[in-house]
Amino acid sequence: MHNPRHLTPVALDADWRDQLRSVISDGASLLKELQLSPADVGLSEEACADFALKVPRAFVRRMQAGDPRDPLLRQVLASTDELVAAPGFGPDPTGETGSANPRAGIIHKYRGRLLLVVASGCAVNCRYCFRRHFPYSDNRNSRREWQDALDYVRDDASISEVILSGGDPLVAEDDHLAALCQDIAAIPHVQRLRVHSRMPVVLPDRVTADLLDALSPPGVQTVMVVHSNHANELDQSVGRAFGRIRERGMTLLNQAVLLAGVNDSEDALVALSESLFAHGALPYYLHLLDRVQGAAHFEVEALRARELHAGITARLPGYLVPRLVQEIAGEAAKTTLPALPRKA
Ligand SMILES: *Cc1c(COP(=O)(O)O)cnc(C)c1O
Ligand code: SF4
């Protein structure tokens, strides 16, 4: 239970592409690295077959060897809990197919902003991911097809912000991102480019000068929204990546998901906010879990979530309190959960 030195140093100073190629994708190797047995953690091959296990070594290095309840491990471990059918949990909890998907590669649900599904994979597979069943194969565009998607943005003057999403958009190559971002920035009514990525947290070496060049075309402001759920995810390498992002003048925000057994305590949430700030990012959203099939064991009830949120609101400066939100299919924006009445 210490700084994990047990990891093979294979990926330590490797190029991000090599690190992406050498992600751990089988449960047995992951558990061997952590000196745990499948029975300790409920590893399930069947769950892996449904949604592959995938985690970068740079992220595994921040887990505690020998701890079956490590909060980082829990987020990536394909477990027998996923096989339990739960009422209300389905394949598309946020309503992203159908009319919200007007063109291949576009999810447009809210006024003024839309998502581009730039990549179909991620560096890590988070077990609670609401897109774990997303039909990526229907949303994979060639460069020419991207022009059709961009025509949709060009034709709608109400869109002032384009969000690169996925999967994880930073899995895409720099030249593809650069071309796409330049085309987006050239659209007169687009003022902001937003990037939603977990990569600066799980594989911080991805944040290179070339990447930041690609994401900073002239004519738009760039906002980076990263995704970290627990203070243990943030180490010096992540802090350096955040620093590089900020040096480019990008606004740096974090969204987290409230997850049972990971961060469902006041102490964990306070530590996350404080650590985010210490590393250079501000908390933006704390999401209630989207009820995706296979993730029921991560659910925190809405009332408990509101209690936790009231608790951290009483302990943190206002600027370190994320907004507690829920995605309700068909709504015009994320829904903010009402604050609990103050106790007399
Ligand atoms: C969450 C989300 C956004 C961004 O919402 P903000 O409240 O602006 O952060 C945009 N489009 C879709 C489809 C989303 O799910
Ligand atoms: S990085 Fe984001 S999109 Fe990818 S699996 Fe995790 S939560 Fe889902």
Side-chain angles (χ1 to χ4, degrees), residues 94-96 100 107-111 113-115 130-131 161 163 194 196 225 255 284-285 287 323 325 327 332-334:
T94 61
E96 293 197 327
I107 302 174
H108 188 192
K109 298 206 300 195
Y110 302 158
R111 189 184 159 86
R113 56 223 194 274
L114 53 68
L115 296 185
F130 68 101
R131 289 205 187 113
E161 179 162 340
I163 304 171
R194 197 197 308 183
H196 279 180
V225 183
Q255 48 185 343
Y284 176 41
Y285 279 150
H287 295 267
R323 225 169 312 161
V325 294
E327 174 80 24
K334 311 267 186 271

Side-chain angles (χ1 to χ4, degrees), residues 63-132:
M63 298 176 186
Q64 293 286 338
D67 181 2
R69 292 203 304 224
D70 181 273
L72 279 55
L73 173 62
R74 184 168 166 82
Q75 295 177 58
V76 303
L77 184 88
S79 99
T80 50
D81 293 337
E82 295 177 29
L83 309 174
V84 181
F89 284 73
D92 178 25
T94 61
E96 293 197 327
T97 47
S99 68
N101 192 193
R103 290 272 203 294
I106 290 191
I107 302 174
H108 188 192
K109 298 206 300 195
Y110 302 158
R111 189 184 159 86
R113 56 223 194 274
L114 53 68
L115 296 185
L116 298 186
V117 181
V118 174
S120 53
C122 299
V124 63
N125 279 348
C126 311
R127 308 312 299 180
Y128 53 84
C129 180
F130 68 101
R131 289 205 187 113
R132 58 182 283 171

Side-chain angles (χ1 to χ4, degrees), residues 141-183:
N141 286 347
S142 67
R143 281 200 187 186
R144 208 188 46 75
E145 286 164 333
W146 271 118
Q147 290 307 321
D148 293 340
L150 291 177
D151 281 340
Y152 179 90
V153 181
R154 290 186 189 101
D155 290 346
D156 185 344
S158 74
I159 294 165
S160 55
E161 179 162 340
V162 172
I163 304 171
L164 306 187
S165 181
D168 196 311
L170 300 191
V171 167
E173 289 289 340
D174 294 338
D175 57 349
H176 175 52
L177 290 169
L180 192 61
C181 291
Q182 273 174 25
D183 286 348

Side-chain angles (χ1 to χ4, degrees), residues 250-325:
M250 296 181 193
T251 298
L252 181 58
L253 305 171
N254 182 68
Q255 48 185 343
V257 184
L258 185 57
L259 298 166
V262 174
N263 58 11
D264 58 336
S265 71
E266 270 181 34
D267 287 348
L269 293 171
V270 166
L272 174 60
S273 274
E274 292 192 323
S275 184
L276 282 168
F277 189 71
H279 289 87
L282 282 171
Y284 176 41
Y285 279 150
L286 177 62
H287 295 267
L288 280 198
L289 181 77
D290 295 310
R291 307 187 91 196
V292 70
Q293 199 175 302
H297 55 296
F298 286 113
E299 186 164 58
V300 176
E301 296 295 331
L303 181 61
R304 173 76 185 132
R306 292 165 65 204
E307 283 168 2
L308 287 168
H309 194 259
I312 66 169
T313 302
R315 286 175 58 179
L316 287 167
Y319 62 90
L320 291 187
V321 181
R323 225 169 312 161
L324 179 64
V325 294

